[in-house]
């Protein structure tokens, strides 16, 4: 009898966990956003379960232009396009991730322009891939990318920019000083250490940005990343 209860309990817990892990897919579907089964559910959790970017003043309006730098599988890009009616320009360097990103955009018919490109300061960057994210110092699988700078691209307007590139945020900002200083979009940036946060903050303040909101922060168990935090900036 106890053995039967134990087996039932384990099966119940496994079933419950499997349902829980897929909740981001279900939340996304309820909002009218659909994702390929190739998309890891955890990649959708921040946007569709945790509502991480649902911040007043930092959501686009219909027809606005948004840059998603470090687009991953398209969670934010598709949310912005399908829910808010924004035109999204997405940059994602990892080829395997980019192919699924492209599939997700096609599934939704989202207004997302795709670039399989690493943005930075125009120099080479060396990072590591764990299969679905680009994180410096995590894996033995070293990857070298030649970056483009945002300033190499021409934009008539940009209303909002999100930068989440797993430790290379400062390099992206260095290559975007002209564009940010000229067009003055609102900015969401995820920094991956306290020192990186300080460097990015100093650079942004030097071109007229002010920190409006300090969002969620946590301490990951990853070498070189002592604090991950979302920061929200605008030009006063």
């Amino acid at each position: 009898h106890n053995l039967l209860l134990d087996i039932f309990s384990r099966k119940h817990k496994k079933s419950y966990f499997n349902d829980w892990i897929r909740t981001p897919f279900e939340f996304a579907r309820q909002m009218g956003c659909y994702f390929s089964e190739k998309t890891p559910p955890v990649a959708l959790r921040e946007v569709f379960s945790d509502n991480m970017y649902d911040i007043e003043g930092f959501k686009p309006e219909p027809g606005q232009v948004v840059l998603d730098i470090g687009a991953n599988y398209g969670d934010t890009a598709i949310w912005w396009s399908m829910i808010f009616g924004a035109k999204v320009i997405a940059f994602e360097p990892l080829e395997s991730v980019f192919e699924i990103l492209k599939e997700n955009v096609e599934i939704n018919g989202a207004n997302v322009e795709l670039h399989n490109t690493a943005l930075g300061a125009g120099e080479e960057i060396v990072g590591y891939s764990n299969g679905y994210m680009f994180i410096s110092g995590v894996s033995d699988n070293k990857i070298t990318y030649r970056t483009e700078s945002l300033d190499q691209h021409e934009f008539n307007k940009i209303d909002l920019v999100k930068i989440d590139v797993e430790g290379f945020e400062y390099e992206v900002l260095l290559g975007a000083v002209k564009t940010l200083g000229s067009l003055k979009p609102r900015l969401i940036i995820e920094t991956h250490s306290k020192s990186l946060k300080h460097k990015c903050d100093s650079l942004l303040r030097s071109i007229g940005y002010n920190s409006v909101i300090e969002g969620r922060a946590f301490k990951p168990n990853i070498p070189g990343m002592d604090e991950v935090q979302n920061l929200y900036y605008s030009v006063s």
Side-chain angles (χ1 to χ4, degrees), residues 78-138:
I78 289 167
W79 183 62
W80 277 331
S81 173
M82 302 302 292
I83 304 303
F84 298 96
K87 159 68 176 180
V88 183
I89 303 172
F91 298 85
E92 171 52 50
L94 290 176
E95 183 66 38
S96 60
V97 175
F98 182 81
E99 289 305 312
I100 301 173
L101 165 63
K102 183 165 63 173
E103 183 178 346
N104 287 334
V105 168
E106 291 171 354
I107 288 170
N108 289 276
N111 186 11
V112 180
E113 177 184 315
L114 297 172
H115 295 266
N116 186 199
T117 302
L119 288 185
E123 305 293 334
E124 285 188 348
I125 56 175
V126 179
Y128 300 82
S129 171
N130 68 353
Y132 63 92
M133 292 178 76
F134 194 47
I135 303 177
S136 179
V138 170

Side-chain angles (χ1 to χ4, degrees), residues 6-235:
D6 187 49
I7 292 171
F8 174 78
S9 177
R10 277 185 280 146
K11 286 184 176 180
H12 173 73
K13 288 177 180 177
K14 183 177 180 181
S15 175
Y16 181 82
F17 177 76
N18 288 337
D19 289 342
W20 175 81
I21 205 71
R22 289 187 58 80
T23 53
F25 275 106
E26 300 308 317
F27 288 149
R29 287 191 183 108
Q30 289 173 21
M31 298 174 70
C33 300
Y34 299 88
F35 293 87
S36 162
E37 290 295 324
K38 300 173 190 174
T39 308
V42 69
L44 307 180
R45 187 162 297 280
E46 290 182 338
V47 170
F48 295 102
S49 294
D50 300 340
N51 301 314
M52 192 172 72
Y53 295 120
D54 194 6
I55 303 294
E56 289 303 321
F58 288 86
K59 293 180 285 189
E61 297 176 2
Q64 289 192 335
V65 177
V66 183
L67 304 190
D68 190 354
I69 301 173
N72 204 15
Y73 294 96
D75 51 332
T76 311
I78 289 167
W79 183 62
W80 277 331
S81 173
M82 302 302 292
I83 304 303
F84 298 96
K87 159 68 176 180
V88 183
I89 303 172
F91 298 85
E92 171 52 50
L94 290 176
E95 183 66 38
S96 60
V97 175
F98 182 81
E99 289 305 312
I100 301 173
L101 165 63
K102 183 165 63 173
E103 183 178 346
N104 287 334
V105 168
E106 291 171 354
I107 288 170
N108 289 276
N111 186 11
V112 180
E113 177 184 315
L114 297 172
H115 295 266
N116 186 199
T117 302
L119 288 185
E123 305 293 334
E124 285 188 348
I125 56 175
V126 179
Y128 300 82
S129 171
N130 68 353
Y132 63 92
M133 292 178 76
F134 194 47
I135 303 177
S136 179
V138 170
S139 165
D140 293 331
N141 188 16
K142 185 179 290 187
I143 299 177
T144 300
Y145 279 99
R146 176 73 183 183
T147 66
E148 297 178 1
S149 71
L150 191 65
D151 288 342
Q152 290 176 251
H153 295 257
E154 293 187 6
F155 303 96
N156 294 322
K157 63 174 274 187
I158 307 173
D159 299 287
L160 179 65
V161 178
K162 186 210 84 179
I163 305 173
D164 180 3
V165 288
E166 308 302 332
F168 294 102
E169 289 76 21
Y170 184 69
E171 285 78 6
V172 173
L173 292 176
L174 280 178
V177 169
K178 181 180 176 182
T179 300
L180 296 179
S182 172
L183 299 179
K184 299 177 174 58
R186 291 161 292 160
L187 179 64
I188 304 169
I189 180 169
E190 182 170 294
T191 55
H192 291 76
S193 70
K194 292 177 181 178
S195 62
L196 181 59
K197 173 184 174 181
H198 176 73
K199 285 174 63 177
C200 292
D201 186 75
S202 296
L203 176 57
L204 287 170
R205 289 184 184 278
S206 74
I207 58 173
Y209 276 86
N210 295 303
S211 177
V212 177
I213 299 171
E214 290 196 357
R216 66 91 191 243
F218 68 94
K219 299 183 185 301
N221 187 25
I222 298 173
M225 295 187 183
D226 55 12
E227 183 177 83
V228 175
Q229 185 166 30
N230 287 356
L231 304 168
Y232 299 79
Y233 288 86
S234 66
V235 176

